[in-house]
Amino acid sequence: MKKWISFFYLALFCSGMVGLKAQERLPEYLQAEKFTQSKLGTMLFSTVVDPHWFGQGSKFWYEYKTSDGNFWYVVDPFARKKELLFDRDKLASELTAIVRDPFDAQHLPIRNLKAKEDGRTFTFEVVSSQDEKPKEKDKKAKEKKIFYFAYDYVSHRLSHLIDKEKEPKRFGWASVSPDKEMVVYAKDCNLYRMSMADYRKLQKDEKDSTIVEIQLTEDGTEHFGYGIPYSLQNTDTLCNGDRRGVWGYWSPDSKYFVTVVTDERRVKDLWVINSLASPRPTLETYRYQMPGEMDAPEDHLYIFDMTTNTRKEIRTSAWKNQSVSLEGMPSKRKDRDAEFVPRVWLGDSNRFFLTRSSRDLHRIDVCTYTLGQDSIVPVVEERMNTYQETRPIFIFNGGKEFVQWSERDGWAHLYLYDDKGNLKNRITEGPWHVERVVKIDEASRTIFFIANGRENGENPYYEHLYKVNADGSGLQLLTEGDFFHQTSIDDDARFIVDNYSRVNTIPCADLIDRNGKKVMTLQESDFSQLFAAGYQFPELFTVKAADGVTDLYGVMYKPFNFDSTKVYPIIDYVYPGPQVEAVYYPFTRMSVRTDRLAQAGFIVISVGQRGGHPSRSKWYHNYGYGNMRDYPLADHKAAVEQLAARYKFIDIDRVGIHGHSGGGFMSTAAICQYPDFYKAAVSCAGNHDNRIYNRWWSETHHGVKEEITEDGDTTFVYRIATNPEIARRLKGHLMLVHGDIDNNVHPANTLRVVNALIRANKRFELLILPGRRHGFGNMDEYFYWRMVDFFSEYLKGKKEDFVDIPQR
C-alpha cells in the first residue's frame, strides 16, 4: 500500500512537471524578448558624429560605427573632403604582426585615439590578449599587455612605440597653470602645488622621493577643505594622503588661483548600509542637507597668490546661506585631446566674474572681484518672486563687455552690459527661449547660441543654432529643418557639425559653414539591422492641458506588431521636472521605460505638463512652484483621456503609470490622487517625501520661505505635501522599487510610503535592489521584466509564471 501511494504521488509530481514545461509562452513576452538589452547592442551603433577638431587648422576627425564595424574619418571642410583615416585591412594586418593577436578590418581594437599638435600624427593603444609580465618585485595581479602606436595619416605609416615614446601618464588631479609651469592639487583636504618639472617626474615614477610639494594651507578638514568632491559619496576616506583635484580657476598670467571652499561642518550626516560589502556590511556616511534645515553649507571664496604662496579670503556675504559660483573662460574644442587644459577665470589678469545666489534663488547677482580689494562688487542684480536659473557669462575684450542670460521678462534672452553693469542693449527678444550661448566671435562681435520655440509650426522643444550681432542685429537661423539639432562649432567659428533628428527619423549629420550653408553630408545612422528586427518609429502627438488652452507635446510608442483592430492598455511614463520632462525630442535608443515596455503589449506614452520644462516660457516652467506633488497630475489625466477619445485602440479603463526618481514620486501621487482612473503604477526610486530629499532640488523647485524672526535672525520655512499623506487613498495596484544604497534619493522615501500603506492595510508590492544606487545598473534588465510582469498581470490579467527571468 505504501509503495502504491508513493508511486501515485511520484506520477502526480512528474505530470505536474510535464505540464509546467509544456506551458506556452505568451506572445507579448516573445515580442519583448526580441529587443533585450544585449540584442539591441548589436542592432544599432553610432547615431551622432562627435568631432575632434585638430589643434591647428580647421580639420577634424571622428569615429563612427555601423554594422560593418568601426570607421575613422578625417574631414577637411575647406576642401569639402572626407576620407578614411586608416586603410582598415592594412592596419589590421600590421597590428596582427606586431601584437600577435589576430585582427581583421571589422574588429580593430583601437582605443584612446588622439591627434597630435602637428595635425598629422595620431596615437592610440591596443590591448593584447596576453598578460603583461610582472616586474620582479611587483606581485600585483596580472594585467593585459598594452601596445602603443603612432600613425602618420599623410604617409599612412604605423610606428610601434617603445615605453620612452608612449604618451605620458595623465593625472586627473592636476590643475595646470596657463603658462604650464605650476600644478595645483589637494591632499589631506589641504591645497598644495608643485612645479611642472616635478610633475613630469611623477609621470615617470609616482614614488620619486625628490618631488618637492609646497603646502599652501594647513587648516583643511574633511568637511571644510580642498579637494572634497561635490557628489554624494562616502566621506570617510577624504584625508588619506591621496592627491585630489581642486575645482578652481587660474588668472590668465598664472599668478593667482581662485577657488570656492564649502564649509559643511554643521551639515548633518546621512547613511546607507552596503549589505553586499565583503566580508561585512559597511556603513556609508555622507553629508546631506534636507529642506528647511538651518545647518547649511557655507561657501568661502579664497584667492591664492602663487608668487608669495599666500591666501586671502574675499568677502562675499549678502544673504544667509547664499551660494557663490565662479565663472570660467569657455574651453576650446582643439584642446579636447591636449595633455593639459588650464582652467582660466572669466576676465583679465586683474579682475574676474562670479555669481552670488540667495538660498531661495529669488535674488541672483552677477559680481566682479578686482585684485587688491576685500569684497566682491555686484554689477547686475536679477530679482524675481520665484526661483531663477543662470547660464554661463560670456565676455568681450577681457570683460569690458559681457553677455548676460536672463528670464526677467518671462522668456530667456540675452543682454549686453558694460563692465560696470550698465545695460547697453538687448540682444534677443520675443516669445521664444534662448537656451545658452555656445560661442562668441570677438573679431566680428557675433554671438552663436542655442534656442527653441522661435520657428513657426515646429515642436517648441526642438533646438536650433542661431547667430546674432552683439548689438542685436543680424539674427539668423543656422540649422534649418524641423528637427532637434545638436551642434559642435570649431574654435574659429568657421564650421559647424550639425547632428539632427527627431524621435521618428534616422539621425543624420551635416557639416555647415558659419552662415548655415551646407558644406557636405557626414553620416546617416545605419538602421538596417534594427529595421530587420521589426523596429518602427514612435508617433508624435499634441494634446491640450487640463486648462484647455496650453499645448502639450508627447510621443506614443506602440508594439511593433501593433494590430489596429485590438484594444490595448495605456501606460504613461512620467517625470514631473521642473528641470526636464520625460519626453524625448531627438532620436533616442530603445528604453526599458518606453518603446521596450510597449513591446510587451502596451501603448506607452510620454507627454509634458505645465510646470515641467524650462525651455518654454517662465510661466510654463514655474507653474508648479509651491505645489510640487500635485501640479502635473491633472494634465496627464487629461492627456490620456484625449488620446483614448481620439484612438479606438486605447482602453481608457486600463490605465497604468510609472516613473523613476521624480517620476516615482509622481506616479505614486497619481494613483493615490486619482484612484479610480489609474489601475496600476510602478514607482522607482521616488522622492515620495521631499522633506527628506536634498535641499537644492526640493527648495528650488517647490520653494522655501525666508522669514525674519523677532530677534532679527533669518530662518527658512519649508512645507510640502507628501505621498505618505495620501497612501490611504490607494485602490489600484502599486509596485515600489528602490536601490538599497541610493544616496541621492534615500530609501527612507520609499519606506515611509511602505509604512503608510501598511498602516492603512493596503496590499502592494515592494522590490528592493541590493547594491544599487539611484540608477539600477546591471539590474535594469531584471527590473524591466518585473515591471512587464506587474503591468501584464494588473492591466491585462495575464503574465508568465516561469521562475527564470528572460536572459539579457
Side-chain angles (χ1 to χ4, degrees):
M1 184 67 178
K2 291 182 180 180
K3 291 183 178 179
W4 184 86
I5 293 174
S6 299
F7 176 79
F8 172 80
Y9 281 112
L10 178 63
L12 185 63
F13 174 77
C14 291
S15 65
M17 291 297 292
V18 170
L20 181 62
K21 290 182 178 179
Q23 179 184 352
E24 291 186 6
R25 299 294 308 280
L26 295 177
E28 298 94 330
Y29 279 68
L30 294 174
Q31 170 69 7
E33 282 185 33
K34 295 178 182 178
F35 301 95
T36 59
Q37 183 176 319
S38 60
K39 292 175 182 176
L40 286 170
T42 64
M43 294 180 190
L44 179 64
F45 303 101
S46 295
T47 58
V48 172
V49 169
D50 182 17
H52 296 245
W53 302 92
F54 283 20
Q56 300 176 6
S58 60
K59 294 181 181 179
F60 63 91
W61 69 269
Y62 68 93
E63 179 180 359
Y64 210 84
K65 188 174 183 179
T66 71
S67 55
D68 198 31
N70 287 71
F71 294 84
W72 294 264
Y73 297 98
V74 173
V75 177
D76 184 342
F78 282 112
R80 298 174 178 264
K81 183 173 65 174
K82 179 183 81 170
E83 61 183 6
L84 285 169
L85 172 58
F86 306 116
D87 179 326
R88 296 195 306 164
D89 288 305
K90 180 182 178 183
L91 183 61
S93 177
E94 292 178 311
L95 292 178
T96 297
I98 296 171
V99 180
R100 297 184 180 178
D101 286 337
F103 305 117
D104 66 18
Q106 291 178 306
H107 304 90
L108 288 171
I110 293 172
R111 73 175 197 181
N112 202 23
L113 180 68
K114 292 184 174 64
K116 305 295 283 186
E117 286 291 327
D118 62 8
R120 60 183 289 168
T121 304
F122 287 77
T123 60
F124 63 88
E125 303 168 357
V126 171
V127 179
S128 171
S129 63
Q130 71 180 95
D131 293 330
E132 181 74 80
K133 293 182 180 179
K135 297 178 181 178
E136 293 182 4
K137 297 181 181 180
D138 191 354
K139 302 299 182 182
K140 292 182 180 179
K142 293 181 179 180
E143 297 180 351
K144 296 299 181 183
K145 185 174 182 180
I146 300 176
F147 288 79
Y148 300 89
F149 296 92
Y151 180 81
D152 187 316
Y153 97 93
V154 176
S155 66
H156 306 295
R157 182 173 177 270
L158 179 71
S159 302
H160 178 204
L161 303 179
I162 60 176
D163 285 347
K164 292 182 180 180
E165 299 174 310
K166 69 183 184 183
E167 287 240 336
K169 184 181 297 185
R170 298 188 184 189
F171 297 112
W173 47 261
S175 179
V176 179
S177 60
D179 62 7
K180 300 182 181 178
E181 294 294 325
M182 279 181 288
V183 174
V184 164
Y185 55 96
K187 187 169 70 171
D188 292 331
C189 300
N190 280 294
L191 196 69
Y192 287 75
R193 76 175 179 90
M194 69 172 63
S195 68
M196 178 56 72
D198 281 334
Y199 179 80
R200 291 298 188 193
K201 291 180 184 178
L202 274 180
Q203 289 181 303
K204 296 178 181 178
D205 182 5
E206 293 188 58
K207 299 179 180 180
D208 193 322
S209 59
T210 66
I211 302 297
V212 177
E213 297 183 282
I214 299 174
Q215 187 169 348
L216 299 174
T217 67
E218 296 180 348
D219 55 358
T221 67
E222 64 178 354
H223 298 303
F224 186 19
Y226 302 82
I228 299 175
Y230 183 72
S231 60
L232 303 177
Q233 300 295 330
N234 192 1
T235 59
D236 293 339
T237 56
L238 285 173
C239 299
N240 59 359
D242 290 344
R243 296 183 181 91
R244 299 176 184 274
V246 176
W247 188 258
Y249 294 95
W250 288 90
S251 60
D253 60 9
S254 301
K255 293 180 179 180
Y256 295 92
F257 183 80
V258 62
T259 185
V260 174
V261 180
T262 302
D263 182 358
E264 292 191 318
R265 289 174 296 180
R266 295 182 60 197
V267 179
K268 293 181 174 66
D269 285 336
L270 195 57
W271 307 269
V272 292
I273 296 177
N274 186 349
S275 301
L276 303 185
S278 179
R280 295 168 60 88
T282 57
L283 178 71
E284 293 187 6
T285 304
Y286 52 99
R287 292 293 163 106
Y288 193 96
Q289 188 191 8
M290 295 177 183
E293 291 183 340
M294 295 305 299
D295 295 327
E298 300 289 351
D299 287 346
H300 294 260
L301 179 63
Y302 294 114
I303 188 166
F304 291 83
D305 186 336
M306 292 302 176
T307 64
T308 60
N309 296 328
T310 57
R311 177 185 70 181
K312 175 182 179 178
E313 181 169 6
I314 303 168
R315 290 202 294 264
T316 64
S317 181
W319 312 295
K320 189 167 186 175
N321 299 161
Q322 68 178 26
S323 60
V324 176
S325 301
L326 294 168
E327 298 279 346
M329 294 292 290
S331 60
K332 295 182 178 180
R333 301 288 187 182
K334 67 180 182 181
D335 289 337
R336 180 174 177 178
D337 293 338
E339 181 182 6
F340 302 120
V341 183
R343 293 193 297 269
V344 180
W345 72 38
L346 188 70
D348 56 25
S349 292
N350 192 52
R351 190 177 74 148
F352 61 83
F353 286 82
L354 67 158
T355 56
R356 175 175 65 192
S357 306
S358 62
R359 177 165 170 171
D360 60 8
L361 297 179
H362 291 191
R363 294 156 291 179
I364 295 177
D365 290 345
V366 176
C367 304
T368 63
Y369 173 74
T370 302
L371 295 179
Q373 294 182 345
D374 294 326
S375 305
I376 62 175
V377 176
V379 293
V380 175
E381 297 180 350
E382 300 280 1
R383 301 293 185 266
M384 192 164 280
N385 295 329
T386 64
Y387 70 95
Q388 302 174 87
E389 296 198 349
T390 61
R391 296 293 188 274
I393 297 167
F394 281 74
I395 62 173
F396 286 104
N397 197 17
K400 293 182 178 178
E401 297 175 296
F402 65 92
V403 176
Q404 167 74 349
W405 180 97
S406 173
E407 295 177 290
R408 67 188 61 165
D409 74 345
W411 293 90
H413 282 294
L414 304 178
Y415 301 81
L416 183 67
Y417 284 88
D418 68 17
D419 60 351
K420 304 299 183 183
N422 298 307
L423 178 63
K424 299 187 72 172
N425 59 266
R426 286 192 64 142
I427 302 172
T428 60
E429 61 181 319
W432 47 282
H433 174 89
V434 173
E435 176 57 28
R436 63 190 179 277
V437 174
V438 294
K439 184 167 185 60
I440 281 182
D441 181 12
E442 288 213 46
S444 63
R445 292 181 62 80
T446 304
I447 301 165
F448 294 83
F449 64 93
I450 301 295
N452 54 278
R454 182 177 179 272
E455 305 309 310
N456 292 329
E458 279 193 4
N459 184 313
Y461 295 98
Y462 290 173
E463 292 185 352
H464 292 272
L465 179 67
Y466 297 83
K467 70 175 182 178
V468 66
N469 296 324
D471 63 5
S473 65
L475 177 63
Q476 181 183 352
L477 170 67
L478 299 179
T479 52
E480 296 183 348
D482 184 15
F483 301 97
F484 190 99
H485 297 260
Q486 298 166 288
T487 57
S488 174
I489 185 169
D490 76 324
D491 290 332
D492 297 320
R494 292 177 295 188
F495 296 100
I496 301 154
V497 172
D498 177 20
N499 290 283
Y500 58 93
S501 68
R502 298 189 301 266
V503 292
N504 60 348
T505 68
I506 296 176
C508 296
D510 289 345
L511 181 67
I512 61 177
D513 66 19
R514 65 179 287 135
N515 296 313
K517 184 178 180 181
K518 183 175 177 178
V519 176
M520 60 189 299
T521 297
L522 294 175
Q523 292 290 159
E524 180 178 287
S525 293
D526 179 4
F527 271 54
S528 58
Q529 295 190 75
L530 198 59
F531 284 149
Y535 176 81
Q536 296 180 24
F537 287 114
E539 300 173 12
L540 304 175
F541 66 83
T542 304
V543 293
K544 289 292 184 181
D547 64 1
V549 174
T550 309
D551 287 329
L552 303 178
Y553 298 83
V555 181
M556 180 184 294
Y557 303 86
K558 297 177 180 177
F560 299 152
N561 57 1
F562 173 76
D563 184 344
S564 61
T565 65
K566 293 183 178 180
V567 179
Y568 294 84
I570 184 171
I571 299 173
D572 187 9
Y573 170 52
V574 300
Y575 187 82
Q579 71 274 31
V580 71
E581 293 169 345
V583 186
Y584 300 128
Y585 306 112
F587 173 81
T588 305
R589 297 172 188 273
M590 289 185 68
S591 165
V592 298
R593 311 283 180 175
T594 52
D595 32 9
R596 283 195 59 196
L597 179 58
Q599 301 321 302
F602 305 100
I603 301 298
V604 177
I605 66 165
S606 59
V607 64
Q609 67 276 322
R610 291 169 295 167
H613 204 290
S615 291
R616 293 177 69 172
S617 69
K618 186 67 173 169
W619 174 88
Y620 182 92
H621 186 203
N622 286 162
Y623 176 78
Y625 194 66
N627 185 27
M628 187 56 59
R629 186 188 68 189
D630 297 329
Y631 80 86
L633 305 183
D635 282 355
H636 280 259
K637 179 174 180 290
V640 172
E641 290 171 336
Q642 290 172 67
L643 292 174
R646 189 179 302 174
Y647 302 110
K648 294 181 179 180
F649 55 78
I650 293 176
D651 188 345
I652 192 62
D653 294 321
R654 293 185 292 164
V655 182
I657 187 170
H658 86 105
H660 187 98
S661 191
F665 168 46
M666 178 178 168
S667 51
T668 293
I671 199 172
C672 292
Q673 291 291 61
Y674 296 107
D676 296 316
F677 185 73
Y678 293 103
K679 301 304 189 294
V682 174
S683 301
C684 306
N687 47 310
H688 300 284
D689 187 343
N690 278 295
R691 297 170 302 177
I692 62 169
Y693 189 35
N694 75 70
R695 183 197 105 184
W696 175 83
W697 192 91
S698 300
E699 289 189 0
T700 296
H701 299 300
H702 177 72
V704 63
K705 186 177 181 181
E706 183 177 315
E707 295 183 348
I708 306 299
T709 67
E710 293 181 357
D711 298 331
D713 194 15
T714 301
T715 62
F716 296 92
V717 179
Y718 178 83
R719 296 185 181 92
I720 190 171
T722 70
N723 282 344
E725 296 169 354
I726 56 174
R728 67 185 183 281
R729 295 170 54 88
L730 179 68
K731 291 183 180 180
H733 302 277
L734 174 62
M735 179 179 179
L736 298 166
V737 188
H738 219 116
D740 72 338
I741 57 171
D742 187 341
N743 51 4
N744 178 0
V745 177
H746 195 276
N749 281 269
T750 289
L751 293 178
R752 290 189 176 197
V753 176
V754 168
N755 177 66
L757 291 169
I758 292 173
R759 301 289 182 185
N761 291 314
K762 300 293 183 179
R763 288 189 173 92
F764 62 96
E765 293 190 21
L766 175 64
L767 174 61
I768 298 295
L769 298 176
R772 297 301 92 196
R773 297 197 187 272
H774 198 50
F776 298 159
N778 59 14
M779 291 187 181
D780 210 35
E781 196 74 6
Y782 178 84
F783 155 72
Y784 166 75
W785 288 106
R786 290 296 304 274
M787 178 171 60
V788 167
D789 286 342
F790 182 84
F791 281 131
S792 295
E793 180 174 7
Y794 294 117
L795 294 182
K796 295 191 294 184
K798 57 181 180 178
K799 69 181 182 74
E800 288 193 345
D801 292 323
F802 296 106
V803 173
D804 291 339
I805 294 289
Q807 296 299 305
R808 296 176 66 187

